[in-house]
Amino acid sequence: MAGHSKFKNIMHRKGAQDKKRSAMFSKLSREITVAAKMGMADPDMNPRLRLAVNAAKAQSMPKDNIQRAIDKATQAGGEDYEEIRYEGFGPGGVALIVEALTDNRNRTATNVRTAFSKNGGNLGASGAVSHGFDRLGLITYPASAGSADKVFEAALEAGAEDVSSSDDEHEIWTALDALHEVTKALEPVLGEPESAKLAWKPQTMVDVDEGAAQSLFKLIDVLDDDDDVQTVWGNYEVSDELMEKLG
């Protein structure tokens, strides 16, 4: 349980989503609605809904928007979303997992397939790359939450499986079914996390050079821009120098 992680590179470049706040709110709302529909509409009684609401709060989503998304789950004739996972390879041989919530499976499949084919990727069959990832819980805190030692001890006490700290943030990994409990145990010590979600953690990383990184980030941006796509995970690692160069 230690070591510096570049996991922040795996999801999205920092700041990319700041420019897409309305689109982000839409995706957060969709997750809240699905979570509320799958369980109870009370975050205290529904772990997935609680995590979705916390994620929305962490992005400064207004309370009214959050409540509206919860209410939508109980309305007759509301949209029915299904969870779909797509797997494939991006530029540089990077493995990608795309998680979507959609009310039109054909539309989403077409959009994801087109994004891959037009940006140097190949969409594979289900299970094509997920065997190279572990399905875990991921809790993130800003560096200001405490020293690496403090966070490490708190995470260990709370039952986490792994911790990595960098200059920017602390990443706390949990077993799949322990995410909710570990999050609750950490809050009295470290406060509300920046995020707490189910994640795909790569077992091995792929170093990406400048050419492949440019194409890869373009592919991820196109996927991110799709309303149905919730999260894009990958096993790529890009050096800090190259990340700065690419902006």
Side-chain angles (χ1 to χ4, degrees):
M1 287 177 64
H4 173 66
S5 167
K6 293 282 180 62
F7 188 79
K8 61 179 179 293
N9 286 347
I10 293 171
M11 293 182 288
H12 312 290
R13 282 165 297 167
K14 282 196 178 298
Q17 283 192 320
D18 293 344
K19 302 168 189 171
K20 309 171 186 174
R21 186 160 290 270
S22 62
M24 180 173 59
F25 282 178
S26 171
K27 295 184 186 203
L28 290 166
S29 294
R30 192 174 292 197
E31 169 61 21
I32 290 169
T33 300
V34 169
K37 190 169 276 194
M38 290 178 71
M40 298 181 69
D42 179 357
D44 291 331
M45 305 295 289
N46 182 337
R48 177 169 173 174
L49 177 58
R50 184 169 181 271
L51 293 172
V53 168
N54 284 350
K57 286 178 179 175
Q59 297 298 334
S60 303
M61 187 166 164
K63 283 183 180 177
D64 288 350
N65 294 37
I66 293 172
Q67 190 56 50
R68 218 169 14 247
I70 294 174
D71 293 342
K72 199 183 286 187
T74 59
Q75 292 169 1
E79 303 104 323
D80 271 328
Y81 297 112
E82 62 176 319
E83 297 177 277
I84 306 178
R85 185 175 83 235
Y86 301 95
E87 302 180 28
F89 290 94
V94 168
L96 295 173
I97 295 177
V98 181
E99 294 180 312
L101 286 174
T102 181
D103 56 357
N104 186 325
R105 179 186 281 259
N106 290 337
R107 176 192 67 222
T108 309
T110 299
N111 290 350
V112 171
R113 191 174 299 281
T114 301
F116 270 82
S117 63
K118 285 190 173 179
N119 294 283
N122 291 294
L123 194 60
S126 179
V129 303
S130 54
H131 57 82
F133 292 74
D134 294 318
R135 189 64 163 156
L136 299 169
L138 173 63
I139 305 162
T140 57
Y141 277 95
S144 58
S147 67
D149 286 343
K150 178 187 175 181
V151 173
F152 178 85
E153 287 173 18
L156 192 64
E157 185 72 24
E161 291 198 345
D162 194 16
V163 181
S164 62
S165 296
S166 69
D167 292 340
D168 301 315
E169 62 187 0
H170 305 283
E171 297 160 359
I172 300 165
W173 294 91
T174 76
L176 186 64
D177 56 359
L179 175 61
H180 184 57
E181 289 73 18
V182 174
T183 303
K184 278 183 74 174
L186 286 171
E187 283 177 4
V189 185
L190 301 177
E192 287 264 344
E194 274 189 340
S195 71
K197 65 178 83 174
L198 295 179
W200 293 95
K201 185 180 185 184
Q203 293 163 4
T204 57
M205 303 297 288
V206 174
D207 280 316
V208 181
D209 62 23
E210 184 173 349
Q214 284 183 320
S215 302
L216 175 65
F217 286 141
K218 184 162 183 232
L219 168 57
I220 291 172
D221 283 343
V222 170
L223 290 168
D224 255 349
D225 286 342
D226 191 300
D227 288 342
D228 298 335
V229 173
Q230 292 293 103
T231 321
V232 181
W233 305 94
N235 67 344
Y236 58 92
E237 188 155 38
V238 179
S239 71
D240 290 341
E241 293 77 23
L242 183 51
M243 286 294 285
E244 277 186 36
K245 188 174 180 182
L246 293 174

